[in-house]
Amino acid sequence: MTSQSPLFRKRLKSNAENVEAALAGLLSGEVRAGEIARPERLLAAIRHGVLNGGKRLRPFLVIESAALFGDAFAPAALRIGAALECVHCYSLVHDDLPAMDDDDLRRGQPTVHVAFDEAAAILAGDSLLTLAFETIAAPETALSDRIKTELVLSLARAAGIGGMAGGQALDLAAEKMAPDEAGIVTLQAMKTGALIRFACEAGAIIADADGATRARLRRYGETVGLAFQLADDLLDLTADAETMGKATGKDAARGKGTLVALKGQEWAERRLGELVDEAQALLAPFGERSAILVEAARFIANRRS
Amino acid sequence: MTSQSPLFRKRLKSNAENVEAALAGLLSGEVRAGEIARPERLLAAIRHGVLNGGKRLRPFLVIESAALFGDAFAPAALRIGAALECVHCYSLVHDDLPAMDDDDLRRGQPTVHVAFDEAAAILAGDSLLTLAFETIAAPETALSDRIKTELVLSLARAAGIGGMAGGQALDLAAEKMAPDEAGIVTLQAMKTGALIRFACEAGAIIADADGATRARLRRYGETVGLAFQLADDLLDLTADAETMGKATGKDAARGKGTLVALKGQEWAERRLGELVDEAQALLAPFGERSAILVEAARFIANRRS
C-alpha cells in the first residue's frame, strides 16, 4: 500500500474541513428567501445524514480539478463540491432504507431511518437532492448563469434515471439475477461512476475550459470511478466491519456479481495499477499542477476504508 | 357550484394534453447526452406515477401566467410546467409510501409502490425530482441562462426543506400533535401552497417581468394556494372515495387539524368566496388577458374532485 505525501494528506484534510463548514452553512436553521420555515426535526435528520465527518472525496475531486485552472475558482468549486456532496449523502440515506439495502450502520453511527424514522429519512434525502440544485443556482455561487445551467444539467444527468438512481435500481435487480460482465460495468458506471465522473468534469465546467480539456477530465473521472469501484469490491471481500464502519461482505452474501468475483483478486489488483497509470497519462498535459490529482487516483485505488 | 366557460374548459383540456405529451417525451427510453442507460423497469415505474391523465393544474397555472405576457413564451412555459409536474408527481409517489401516508390508490389506480415495489417508488420519486431540474436546464428549454437559474432557485426553495418537503414533515408530525391555527397555516403554505405559488410566479419569471409584476403573480399564487387547500379540506370531509379516486376522510380519521375542522364548513365556504375575489383583484391590472386565470381561481375554489 502506497502512503500519501504530506501535501496530499494536508490538502485532503483541509478540504474535508472546508466542505464540512460549507455543508453546515447550507444546513443552518436560517430561512432563505422563498422558503417559509425549516422544520427542526427534519433539519436534524438531514444534518445527521450529512455532517458525519466523511472524507468528502467527491468535493475534493471538484476542488482539485478546478484548481488545475488557478486559485480564482476555489470559492465556486467549494460550493459546487458541497452541492455534489448533498447528492451523494441523499443517495446514502435513501440506499440505507429498509426497502433498499436495509443498513442500520454508516460510519459507525445509526443510519438516518434508525436514528429518526423512515419518513424522516425519505424526506431528508428528498430535501438534500433539492438543496444540491438550489446551491448551484444560488446567488452566493460566484459563477455565470451559463456555467450554473451547465452544472445543473450535468449533475442532473449524472444523478438521475440515466445515472446514479438508475444504477441503484439495476443494483437491486442484480440481487435477483446476477448480471454478466457488461451488465456489471454498466451498473457500476451508473451507480458510483457517474457522480465521480461529474466531480472531475465539474472542475473544467467551473473554469469554462475548452471542450477537449473538459473531455480529458471527464475521462480522468471515468478512470478514477472504475478504480473506486474495484477498490470497493476488494474491500467488501477483505475488510471487516470495524474498519469500514458499516456492514461488509454483503455484496457476496446477496449474490451480487462484482468484477472481482468474476475475474479474481489478482486481476483486480493488476487492473487497479493500470487504471492509476491511465489516470496519470490523462493528466500529463496539465504538468506539475496535476500532482495532487495523480495522487488522488493512487489514493482511491489503494484505499483500505 | 359555478360551471366553467367553454373557453376555460377547452384551455384546461388542451393544456392537459400538451403537458401529458411533454411528460411522455421527457420519459421516453431515449438516452440523453451524459446519461448511461435508462433501466426499463424504473422507467416504467416513473411513467406509472406520472402518465395518469391528471388535470395538470400546476402546469396550467405556469402556462396561463406566462400567457399574460404574450404567446411567445408558450413553448418554454410548457417545458417549465412539465418540470413542475415532475416535482408534484414525485411528491405524490413518495407521500403514498407505507412509511408516509400509506395509500394504495391514486386516481383509481394502484400507487407506484403497490404496482411495483417500495424501492422502485423511492427511486422513481428521486429520478423525477432530478428530472425536473434537468428539464429546466436542458438546451431544449428556450430561455436565457439567467432565467433558467432563477427558475431552478425558486423551484428548489418551493420544493425543499423550506417548502413542500418540509411541509410533508410537518404534516406527519401533525398526526401526533395537532397544530394550532398558525401551525396549520404554515404547514399548508409549505406542503401545497409553495408549488402553486411557484407555478404562478413562474409565468412572470419566464417572461422576465418587473419585480412588482412578479410579486403580484406571486400573491395571486398564494391566494389560489389557500383556496386549493380549503377546497381540499372540504372535499376530504364531504366527498366519497369513488369521486376522488383515492381514500377520503383520512385527515379527520388521523386527527389532523384543518382550518375547516377548526372553524367550520360555513366559514370555509365564505372564505373561499373572499379568496376568489382577492385573486380577481390581484389580476385586475392585466385586464382582459387575465380572464382565464380569474376563472382558474374560481375553478380551484369550487372543485369537487
Side-chain angles (χ1 to χ4, degrees):
Chain A
M1 183 174 163
T2 327
S3 65
Q4 296 87 45
S5 72
L7 176 63
F8 182 82
R9 282 201 301 269
K10 183 166 160 267
R11 292 278 277 255
L12 194 61
K13 183 164 175 287
S14 69
N15 166 76
E17 289 164 0
N18 292 341
V19 172
E20 196 87 9
L23 289 167
L26 295 178
L27 297 174
S28 78
E30 186 200 336
V31 175
R32 271 65 167 179
E35 292 186 337
I36 294 160
R38 294 191 155 199
E40 273 179 37
R41 185 166 182 272
L42 179 56
L43 194 58
I46 297 172
R47 293 170 63 92
H48 183 91
V50 174
L51 303 177
N52 52 21
K55 281 194 295 294
R56 313 302 183 188
L57 186 62
R58 289 158 192 79
F60 183 71
L61 292 171
V62 175
I63 290 162
E64 294 298 341
S65 296
L68 290 175
F69 305 95
D71 294 339
F73 304 107
L78 177 59
R79 298 264 310 173
I80 303 306
L84 177 56
E85 192 70 6
C86 287
V87 175
H88 176 57
C89 291
Y90 120 71
S91 78
L92 299 181
V93 171
H94 279 190
D95 285 2
D96 286 339
L97 284 165
M100 302 259 254
D101 298 343
D102 195 13
D103 279 313
D104 291 345
L105 206 61
R106 162 112 20 219
R107 303 197 160 275
Q109 297 293 320
T111 46
V112 176
H113 68 273
V114 172
F116 292 80
D117 56 50
E118 279 186 51
I122 294 166
L123 291 169
D126 294 346
S127 301
L128 275 169
L129 176 55
T130 312
L131 182 62
F133 294 106
E134 180 192 332
T135 301
I136 296 175
E140 292 84 354
T141 303
L143 291 169
S144 73
D145 294 319
R146 179 172 58 79
I147 288 174
K148 288 180 181 180
T149 301
E150 187 59 42
L151 288 166
V152 167
L153 183 65
S154 298
L155 177 56
R157 289 191 173 159
I161 184 177
M164 185 184 67
Q168 172 68 1
L170 293 178
D171 202 32
L172 293 168
E175 290 178 28
K176 288 173 194 149
M177 195 177 68
D180 58 12
E181 186 177 340
I184 295 171
V185 168
T186 300
L187 185 168
Q188 295 185 339
M190 293 174 76
K191 184 175 172 175
T192 56
L195 278 203
I196 292 175
R197 186 199 67 201
F198 170 81
C200 302
E201 192 176 359
I205 301 175
I206 289 168
D208 206 12
D210 61 63
T213 304
R214 182 170 163 181
R216 181 171 286 278
L217 275 175
R218 185 183 171 92
R219 281 174 58 207
Y220 165 79
E222 285 167 352
T223 307
V224 163
L226 289 171
F228 181 92
Q229 188 60 54
L230 269 186
D232 213 54
D233 292 343
L234 279 173
L235 277 167
D236 191 73
L237 274 186
T238 57
D240 59 28
E242 201 178 332
T243 315
M244 294 290 280
K246 63 177 183 181
T248 55
K250 290 188 70 162
D251 292 351
R254 285 170 172 169
K256 277 188 197 176
T258 69
L259 293 182
V260 177
L262 221 59
K263 309 186 126 196
Q265 192 167 338
E266 203 178 315
W267 171 87
E269 279 163 1
R270 197 175 54 241
R271 182 78 186 114
L272 274 172
E274 291 168 4
L275 288 168
V276 171
D277 292 345
E278 286 170 34
Q280 183 160 12
L282 284 164
L283 294 171
F286 296 103
E288 279 181 20
R289 286 172 301 168
S290 68
I292 293 286
L293 284 181
V294 170
E295 210 167 341
R298 204 173 292 126
F299 171 74
I300 285 168
N302 291 322
R303 77 207 169 88
R304 289 293 172 266
S305 73
Chain B
M1 183 175 162
T2 327
S3 66
Q4 295 87 45
S5 71
L7 176 63
F8 182 83
R9 281 202 301 270
K10 184 166 161 263
R11 291 280 277 254
L12 194 62
K13 184 164 175 286
S14 70
N15 166 78
E17 289 164 0
N18 293 341
V19 172
E20 196 87 9
L23 290 167
L26 295 177
L27 297 174
S28 79
E30 186 200 335
V31 175
R32 271 65 166 178
E35 292 185 337
I36 295 159
R38 295 192 153 197
E40 272 178 40
R41 186 167 182 272
L42 179 56
L43 194 57
I46 297 171
R47 293 170 62 93
H48 183 90
V50 174
L51 304 177
N52 52 21
K55 279 193 297 291
R56 314 304 184 189
L57 186 61
R58 290 158 192 78
F60 182 70
L61 291 170
V62 175
I63 289 162
E64 294 299 340
S65 296
L68 290 175
F69 304 95
D71 294 339
F73 304 107
L78 177 60
R79 298 264 310 172
I80 302 307
L84 176 57
E85 191 70 5
C86 287
V87 175
H88 175 57
C89 291
Y90 120 72
S91 77
L92 299 181
V93 171
H94 279 191
D95 285 2
D96 286 339
L97 283 165
M100 302 259 255
D101 297 343
D102 195 13
D103 279 313
D104 291 346
L105 206 61
R106 162 114 17 221
R107 303 196 157 277
Q109 296 294 318
T111 46
V112 177
H113 68 273
V114 172
F116 291 81
D117 55 51
E118 280 185 50
I122 295 167
L123 290 169
D126 294 345
S127 301
L128 275 170
L129 176 55
T130 312
L131 181 62
F133 294 106
E134 180 192 332
T135 301
I136 296 174
E140 292 83 354
T141 303
L143 291 168
S144 74
D145 293 320
R146 180 173 57 79
I147 288 175
K148 288 180 182 182
T149 301
E150 187 59 42
L151 288 166
V152 167
L153 184 65
S154 298
L155 176 57
R157 288 191 174 159
I161 183 177
M164 185 184 66
Q168 171 68 0
L170 292 178
D171 201 33
L172 293 168
E175 290 178 29
K176 288 172 193 149
M177 196 177 67
D180 58 11
E181 185 177 340
I184 295 171
V185 168
T186 299
L187 185 169
Q188 295 186 338
M190 293 173 75
K191 184 174 173 175
T192 55
L195 280 203
I196 292 174
R197 185 199 66 199
F198 170 81
C200 301
E201 191 176 0
I205 301 175
I206 289 168
D208 206 13
D210 62 61
T213 304
R214 181 169 163 181
R216 180 171 287 277
L217 276 175
R218 187 183 171 90
R219 281 175 58 208
Y220 166 78
E222 285 167 353
T223 306
V224 162
L226 289 171
F228 181 91
Q229 188 60 55
L230 270 186
D232 213 53
D233 292 344
L234 279 174
L235 277 168
D236 191 73
L237 274 186
T238 56
D240 59 27
E242 202 178 330
T243 315
M244 295 289 281
K246 64 177 183 181
T248 53
K250 289 189 72 161
D251 292 350
R254 285 170 173 168
K256 277 188 196 175
T258 69
L259 293 182
V260 177
L262 221 58
K263 310 185 126 197
Q265 193 167 336
E266 203 178 315
W267 171 87
E269 280 164 0
R270 196 173 56 239
R271 182 80 186 110
L272 275 172
E274 292 167 5
L275 288 168
V276 171
D277 292 345
E278 286 170 35
Q280 183 160 13
L282 283 164
L283 294 171
F286 296 104
E288 279 181 20
R289 285 171 303 168
S290 67
I292 293 285
L293 285 180
V294 170
E295 207 166 342
R298 203 172 295 125
F299 172 73
I300 286 168
N302 292 322
R303 76 205 171 88
R304 287 293 172 266
S305 71

